[in-house]
Amino acid sequence: MNQLGFPILTTVTFLPLAGAVLLLFMPKGRDELLKRVTLIISLVEFMVSLPLFIYFDEGKAGMQFVEKVPWIKEWGVAYYMGIDGISLFLILLTTFLTVLCVLSSWTAVEKRIKEYMICFLFLETGMIGALVALDLILFYVFWEVMLIPMYLIIGAWGGPRRIYAAIKFFIYTMAGSVLMLVAIIALYFLHGKATGEYTFDLLRLYQLALPIKTQYIMFAAFALAFAIKVPMFPFHTWLPDAHVEAPTAGSVILAGVLLKLGAYGFIRFAIPLFPAAAFKAVPVISILALIGIIYGALVCMMQDDLKKLVAFSSVSHLGFVMLGMFAFNVQGVQGSIYQMLNHGVSTGALFLIVGMLYERRHTRLIADFGGLSRVMPVFATFFMIVTLSSIALPGTNGFVGEFLILLGAFKANPVYGVFGATGVILAAAYMLWMFQRVMFGDIKHEENRELKDLNLREIVTLVPIVVMIIWMGVFPKFFLKKIDLSVQHFLYDIKARHEVVAMPPEEEGTSSLVKQVEGSGLKLLITKE
Amino acid sequence: MIEYVWLIPLFPAMGFLFNGLIGRWCNLDKKTVSWVACSALGLSFLFSILVFFSLLRLPPDARAAVPDKVLFDWIVSGDLKTVIGYKVDPLSIVMALVVSGVSFFIHIYSVGYMHDDTGFTRYFAYLNLFVFMMLTLVLANNFLFMFVGWEGVGLCSYLLIGFWFERDAPANAGKKAFVVNRVGDFGFMLGMFLIFTHLGTLEFNQVFAKAHILDPLTVTMITLLLFVGATGKSAQIPLYVWLPDAMEGPTPVSSLIHAATMVTSGVYMIARCHVLYSMAPISMVVVAIFGAATAIYAASMGLLQFDIKRVLAYSTISQLGYMFLAVGVGAFSAGIFHLMTHAFFKGLLFLGAGSVMHALSGELDMRKMGGLWRKTPITFLTFLMATLAIAGIPGFSGFFSKDEILWQSFSSPHGHLLLWLVGAAAAGMTAFYMFRLTFVTFLGKCRASEKVKKHIHESPPIMTVPLIILAVLSVIGGYVGIPHVLGGRNYFHEFLAPVLGGLPEGVGHASFSLVKLAHAGGGGMDGSGANLELVLMVVSVIIALIGISIAFYLYILKPDVPKKLAKRFKALYTLVFNKYYVDEIYEASFIDSAKKIGTFLWREFDDGVVDRTVNLVAGLMLWCGKILRKIQTGRVQGYALGIVLGAVVVIIFLIK
């Protein structure tokens, strides 16, 4: 079945859900107990996800830990799961951040703790499910399932405009996804017609060579759903609203994982399903990504609300992710995946930090702070390190990702590289200016004079993040080597199939594919079940 | 011994971790903190010396070919493979010696200078971190790892300029330094991208070995982009604006980072890439012109400042301009030579300024000083030594290095008479403003307030001993590179020759410049070149003496003349005194417009257009709902009408 002989992906996916069910049966008022149980569940979940990393075979390009059981046989729907180097770390990021989210919610959430924790665990199942699913219907189910707990988290535990933000988030994302569903079903029928086999199996559908015009339409439908999630300019306006209103942990998960699912959707679905269209879309996506980088940074600079600032910085950072991905070379795509992880760690940490300030002062306006370094030195140190990671200082994780992305983009098209690199300057400007206004200068508000420095729980929340920032910055090879072959395979595969469509049949489609496999001299192990 | 080179940066790194984590967490006492910090630097300096002597034991040709010490792989992705690796060759070890040595003395000085500061531990942690980053920069064996040091020193500069972050000015200055440096780093990164896309590697050895396959346009682009990086880090036109503001940091920091070490990294980087620059004559001209222009432009701004640290800051910019002039005309080792002597005397000048501030309760305005020499004799004497050195008085270190640059700017194949003229004029200005500074600060009558006057005292030995050591170096530091015309032997160039070239086989005894001349003229080292060199040397000394005399006349003999002059040439005076309003222009054109664009994009575009469209779509749905709701009234008659009309339509459709 897989290298562990144990359905580990199912376990990782549904363990949080089982935990949520367990919480259902627990008494409502016992808040401390509820929190502890949730923390234990999330820790166990993290532990259980670690074997994925340990036993992941970096010498294999195909899917690993595969589980495949027919689900709705008549329609060709299967319970089909598997991961490769691209999804591996996103799963670990999810389980890692969930632990920190539970820790950060300890005192921040005061009402309906039980429901809150259930929502979180439910959300975790949704996110991991979407990352491991290799069947389009299964994926779609998880993709939509995620929305519900996030909607509740924003709508029930959010700030004053939470209802507006929650509905905007839900409907905006949903609207994009519906088109994707239509495209999925169309793809199903097209594949059935072409081969006689009706299936939602993603890897089978990859092999379908569609005419270029069909590809355009289908790619557009998928891309729209994912672009809203990323969010790419100009589909980003739900994000600042959602972030500002969401509770801290909600923002962490939203920025840390949910947005990545948009980018992941591109790399797992939209691009390999419709490679010819994806190649044609390079200028459009790259330019939108560049606009996102620069526009996000400029708007970010003028924000007066800390959370909104971090939200716009996400727009800028996710622009980097998309720019690298559509460079379609090893550095760009690896950098893009690395940047997804970095952004999860660093922006997650920024939201945690803003949350810590909010808990103390019940405001997020930059103007209400100033001079905090003096009263909160430990906090200042953590904040500084996270800020530096966010502006991609060499030695931190952010640099590895941005450098690879910009190098990849530059290789693909120097103009993209040059414009992308201006984002590096702007990032320094807006982050350091924000840091200065919050942390430096004299204390302008008397309330800030008595602020308490971080307590032990908060330090425990932030230390793993700082460790990750430096570890990923100094020893990137530890991570990159697991991603490497999958990315090479991905690139090789889409390039080969893109050419099949782009240069229509002199010979039969499959044979020309094989020829290029031989011709490229690249050793690939394409696993067959 | 050479393979232990990685220990040189490791010690300060450990010092940083110890003081930064344990020291701050456990509130260790100042004695422990300073011992850890200083001994980390001491060990680093010691190992630099050991590696230096191991290198010296090798034959000259082998010195540049020592295999790199690679610790582990860093970023590996596809065909990109970068390592954490160190390069030992004469160039990097000279830099390591200068950096660790000067840093060591400044660390000791800082123990005294920062003694009463509440951020003592934080200060030493940052300072150690800085040295670690600086050593990384100079010892790295590839561009990307060098970039770690490159941005790392920028970070430390940011942290240390903004060390007293409670006040707005240091916090602003720190941010300005970082962001301006980032503009330069933008160029550096693009340069790296170009190198990688054309050569497929970022390792120095491979890049320089493969460089010959680059076409002229590419190599010009690469070198110009790298030079953009250098203008940021080394405060050249147009990115010099951060350095004067950087004086908000503690004075030893100004001495270490903003005079002796970090700001010279651009010069080092160009010398390191001399293979590329030699291939790009246009870039060389650009570097030389920017260097010369910066030298005279910054010197002019130094003429009128009253803040002693600002005078020194402009002087640093100007001297860095000299170094770029040197590397721009192809005199790479002359540039490095001046870098070294400048590290001694400018480091010393800043430390002396710190000692003056220490004596005067933090006073920086030279108008409130005067007559200090009696009460602070050691500070005065060491300061005077450094002033003589920077003014280029024969016998002092600055004379040898500066004179060589001037001679090269004239005689080298890339040189030009105009470059020499600009350099010589800047030298005259330098002599003037430095002696103005010395005279006004140390001689004449004391103009301090009575309260301050009472406290004037010489600094403790922990501060004066580093002053004395650096003063000795400022005097003798030049004797490793005596020009041949003066009958000396240029050991410095001989040592660097395996890396930077310029010394063909068998001419080891000749001075660098003469060999060049011999090459250019095709003849031997006959008298004419040497005579010309002597003439120019005398001219430049005379120019320096004129500068000193004017300073003596204006500030000792007739102290009221400067004010009159200022009145007479009011427009010019105001322009120069306000630093040509460059800061204001930058502020208006870049910062304000960025803010305006940001506000516009946010308020008008993001809220007004993008988000409004989204809400409009949603509103449209609501509106449709409202319209359609009217159909569903609940009145049976309405429905019945609908059914009839519908049936009619169906029937018409069927009949047709």
Side-chain angles (χ1 to χ4, degrees), chain B residues 507-565:
Chain B
V507 220
H509 290 266
S511 88
F512 177 68
S513 52
L514 286 178
V515 174
K516 267 269 165 98
L517 194 75
H519 271 269
M525 284 179 281
D526 52 30
S528 68
N531 281 341
L532 189 59
E533 187 176 355
L534 272 179
V535 170
L536 289 182
M537 195 178 277
V538 172
V539 172
S540 75
V541 171
I542 291 172
I543 292 176
L545 289 174
I546 293 172
I548 296 170
S549 321
I550 298 175
F552 186 73
Y553 175 77
L554 288 181
Y555 293 97
I556 298 289
L557 295 181
K558 309 259 180 185
D560 48 339
V561 175
K563 275 179 197 153
K564 283 183 198 157
L565 282 175

Side-chain angles (χ1 to χ4, degrees), chain B residues 494-511:
Chain B
E494 284 173 33
F495 183 62
L496 287 180
V499 186
L500 299 176
L503 278 184
E505 291 290 321
V507 220
H509 290 266
S511 88

Side-chain angles (χ1 to χ4, degrees), chain A residues 475-493:
Chain A
F475 304 105
K477 202 187 166 194
F478 186 79
F479 303 90
L480 286 174
K481 68 179 181 193
K482 300 245 175 195
I483 303 174
D484 190 59
L485 202 60
S486 295
V487 168
Q488 304 234 15
H489 177 219
F490 162 79
L491 284 171
Y492 170 72
D493 177 52

Side-chain angles (χ1 to χ4, degrees), chain B residues 87-110:
Chain B
K87 180 171 186 61
V88 181
D89 69 1
L91 179 59
S92 66
I93 204 67
V94 163
M95 291 299 293
L97 275 175
V98 171
V99 170
S100 58
V102 174
S103 302
F104 177 55
F105 299 126
I106 294 176
H107 267 70
I108 293 173
Y109 176 93
S110 294

Side-chain angles (χ1 to χ4, degrees), chain A residues 164 168 172 233-238 240-241 294-295 298-299 301-304 308 312 330-332 334-335 371-374 377-378 381-382 384 388 391-395 399-400 402-404 406-407 410-411 414 417-422 424-429 432-433 435-436 439-444 459 472-477 480-481 484 488, chain B residues 20 24-25 72-82 84 117-119 122 126 133 144 147-149 151-152 154-155 158-159 162-175 178-179 182-186 189-190 192-198 202 225 591 593-603 605-607 610-612 614-615 618:
Chain A
Y164 168 77
K168 193 172 183 180
Y172 209 150
F233 178 88
F235 306 111
H236 63 273
T237 53
W238 62 271
D241 288 324
I294 296 167
Y295 177 89
L298 284 170
V299 174
M301 197 146 61
M302 301 317 294
Q303 297 304 312
D304 42 19
K308 230 173 168 176
F312 274 108
V330 182
Q331 284 90 18
Q334 281 202 352
L372 297 192
S373 278
R374 180 54 72 210
V378 180
T381 310
F382 281 110
M384 188 68 192
L388 294 175
I391 62 178
L393 192 88
F399 177 71
V400 181
E402 280 189 17
F403 177 77
L404 286 176
L406 291 172
L407 181 65
F410 191 88
K411 266 172 93 173
V418 172
F419 278 99
T422 57
V424 175
I425 304 173
L426 293 170
L432 291 183
W433 192 31
F435 192 86
Q436 180 190 352
M439 303 305 291
F440 293 162
D442 222 3
I443 295 177
K444 293 175 208 82
I459 291 174
M472 290 177 74
V474 179
F475 304 105
K477 202 187 166 194
L480 286 174
K481 68 179 181 193
D484 190 59
Q488 304 234 15
Chain B
R24 287 195 71 194
W25 213 269
F72 56 88
D73 285 346
W74 189 32
I75 302 180
V76 178
S77 169
D79 49 348
L80 172 77
K81 186 173 182 296
T82 54
I84 302 291
D117 200 283
T118 46
R122 186 163 57 95
Y126 288 167
M133 289 298 184
L144 198 61
F147 192 64
V148 174
E151 283 241 307
L155 165 71
Y158 164 78
L159 293 171
F163 184 74
W164 291 306
F165 55 79
E166 292 96 333
R167 289 190 291 120
D168 283 332
N172 276 327
K175 181 187 62 194
F178 197 96
V179 174
R182 264 280 161 111
V183 177
D185 295 351
F186 165 77
M189 269 179 82
L190 294 181
M192 282 199 290
F193 294 159
L194 259 184
I195 291 173
F196 183 75
T197 42
H198 283 90
L202 288 172
L225 285 168
I591 301 165
S593 57
K595 284 181 182 173
K596 266 183 203 146
I597 294 171
T599 313
F600 169 80
L601 286 179
W602 174 31
R603 297 287 185 198
F605 190 71
D606 208 61
D607 284 354
V610 185
D611 201 34
R612 185 172 288 173
V614 173
N615 286 333

Side-chain angles (χ1 to χ4, degrees), chain A residues 186-202:
Chain A
L187 191 63
Y188 168 75
F189 283 113
L190 285 172
H191 187 263
K193 255 188 208 162
T195 62
E197 188 198 6
Y198 286 88
T199 178
F200 286 103
D201 179 334
L202 180 66

Side-chain angles (χ1 to χ4, degrees), chain B residues 400-656:
Chain B
F400 298 105
S401 55
K402 181 189 264 178
D403 208 73
E404 187 174 351
I405 292 176
L406 287 176
W407 168 238
Q408 289 287 334
S409 68
F410 174 73
S411 69
S412 125
H414 302 277
H416 196 276
L417 179 65
L418 275 176
L419 290 175
W420 180 84
L421 274 175
V422 172
M429 288 184 180
T430 307
F432 169 77
Y433 67 68
M434 281 314 300
F435 273 88
R436 166 179 178 261
L437 174 60
T438 314
F439 292 152
V440 176
T441 307
F442 290 101
L443 304 181
K445 268 193 190 138
C446 186
R447 297 173 296 275
S449 67
E450 287 304 318
K451 205 177 141 209
V452 175
K453 246 185 204 170
K454 261 185 236 160
H455 290 105
I456 298 179
H457 56 279
E458 182 58 286
S459 301
I462 196 155
M463 287 164 72
T464 48
V465 170
L467 288 181
I468 294 167
I469 294 171
L470 283 175
V472 171
L473 286 171
S474 298
V475 178
I476 64 164
Y479 288 93
V480 292
I482 304 167
H484 191 255
V485 277
L486 297 182
R489 178 173 168 184
N490 205 327
Y491 295 99
F492 194 76
H493 295 327
E494 284 173 33
F495 183 62
L496 287 180
V499 186
L500 299 176
L503 278 184
E505 291 290 321
V507 220
H509 290 266
S511 88
F512 177 68
S513 52
L514 286 178
V515 174
K516 267 269 165 98
L517 194 75
H519 271 269
M525 284 179 281
D526 52 30
S528 68
N531 281 341
L532 189 59
E533 187 176 355
L534 272 179
V535 170
L536 289 182
M537 195 178 277
V538 172
V539 172
S540 75
V541 171
I542 291 172
I543 292 176
L545 289 174
I546 293 172
I548 296 170
S549 321
I550 298 175
F552 186 73
Y553 175 77
L554 288 181
Y555 293 97
I556 298 289
L557 295 181
K558 309 259 180 185
D560 48 339
V561 175
K563 275 179 197 153
K564 283 183 198 157
L565 282 175
K567 261 183 199 154
R568 185 171 300 171
F569 302 100
K570 192 148 193 221
L572 185 67
Y573 179 83
T574 324
L575 181 70
V576 179
F577 187 73
N578 289 300
K579 303 156 265 173
Y580 303 98
Y581 296 100
V582 171
D583 274 320
E584 286 76 6
I585 294 168
Y586 279 11
E587 178 92 23
S589 53
F590 296 113
I591 301 165
D592 286 352
S593 57
K595 284 181 182 173
K596 266 183 203 146
I597 294 171
T599 313
F600 169 80
L601 286 179
W602 174 31
R603 297 287 185 198
E604 307 297 325
F605 190 71
D606 208 61
D607 284 354
V609 179
V610 185
D611 201 34
R612 185 172 288 173
T613 313
V614 173
N615 286 333
L616 219 63
V617 173
L620 198 70
M621 295 299 151
L622 271 181
W623 182 76
C624 289
K626 263 183 198 157
I627 300 287
L628 291 174
R629 195 171 63 178
K630 287 183 184 152
I631 301 169
Q632 207 162 7
T633 52
R635 269 183 249 148
V636 185
Q637 296 96 318
Y639 294 156
L641 183 69
I643 292 167
V644 171
L645 286 177
V648 170
V649 171
V650 172
I651 289 164
I652 292 170
F653 188 76
L654 284 178
I655 290 170
K656 258 195 162 179

Side-chain angles (χ1 to χ4, degrees), chain B residues 32-258:
Chain B
T32 322
V33 169
S34 45
W35 265 103
V36 170
C38 292
S39 49
L41 258 292
L43 284 169
S44 186
F45 187 34
L46 180 73
F47 271 82
S48 303
I49 295 173
L50 290 175
V51 173
F52 171 71
F53 279 110
S54 323
L55 197 66
L56 214 54
R57 229 178 290 147
L58 297 175
D61 288 338
R63 287 178 199 159
V66 176
D68 295 350
K69 173 73 190 170
V70 174
L71 293 188
F72 56 88
D73 285 346
W74 189 32
I75 302 180
V76 178
S77 169
D79 49 348
L80 172 77
K81 186 173 182 296
T82 54
V83 295
I84 302 291
Y86 296 97
K87 180 171 186 61
V88 181
D89 69 1
L91 179 59
S92 66
I93 204 67
V94 163
M95 291 299 293
L97 275 175
V98 171
V99 170
S100 58
V102 174
S103 302
F104 177 55
F105 299 126
I106 294 176
H107 267 70
I108 293 173
Y109 176 93
S110 294
V111 175
Y113 188 84
M114 298 298 287
H115 197 262
D116 300 323
D117 200 283
T118 46
F120 192 80
T121 314
R122 186 163 57 95
Y123 175 84
F124 277 98
Y126 288 167
L127 216 55
N128 271 197
L129 180 66
F130 167 75
V131 179
F132 164 65
M133 289 298 184
M134 191 66 209
L135 288 168
T136 302
L137 194 163
V138 299
L139 289 170
N141 79 332
N142 62 73
F143 279 100
L144 198 61
F145 190 37
M146 184 192 204
F147 192 64
V148 174
W150 189 269
E151 283 241 307
V153 290
L155 165 71
C156 299
S157 169
Y158 164 78
L159 293 171
L160 283 163
I161 294 169
F163 184 74
W164 291 306
F165 55 79
E166 292 96 333
R167 289 190 291 120
D168 283 332
N172 276 327
K175 181 187 62 194
K176 183 174 177 183
F178 197 96
V179 174
V180 174
N181 267 299
R182 264 280 161 111
V183 177
D185 295 351
F186 165 77
F188 194 108
M189 269 179 82
L190 294 181
M192 282 199 290
F193 294 159
L194 259 184
I195 291 173
F196 183 75
T197 42
H198 283 90
L199 298 176
T201 175
L202 288 172
E203 210 168 299
F204 289 140
N205 291 342
Q206 292 178 31
V207 168
F208 301 142
K210 284 187 192 170
H212 59 91
I213 63 168
L214 292 170
D215 58 286
L217 180 68
T218 312
V219 79
T220 308
M221 293 270 286
I222 290 172
T223 43
L224 286 178
L225 285 168
L226 290 177
F227 180 61
V228 171
T231 56
K233 195 107 298 174
S234 294
Q236 296 296 291
I237 293 174
L239 296 180
Y240 68 90
V241 286
W242 64 272
L243 187 60
D245 290 17
M247 297 301 120
E248 294 291 344
T251 307
V253 169
S254 311
S255 168
L256 176 61
I257 302 184
H258 306 117

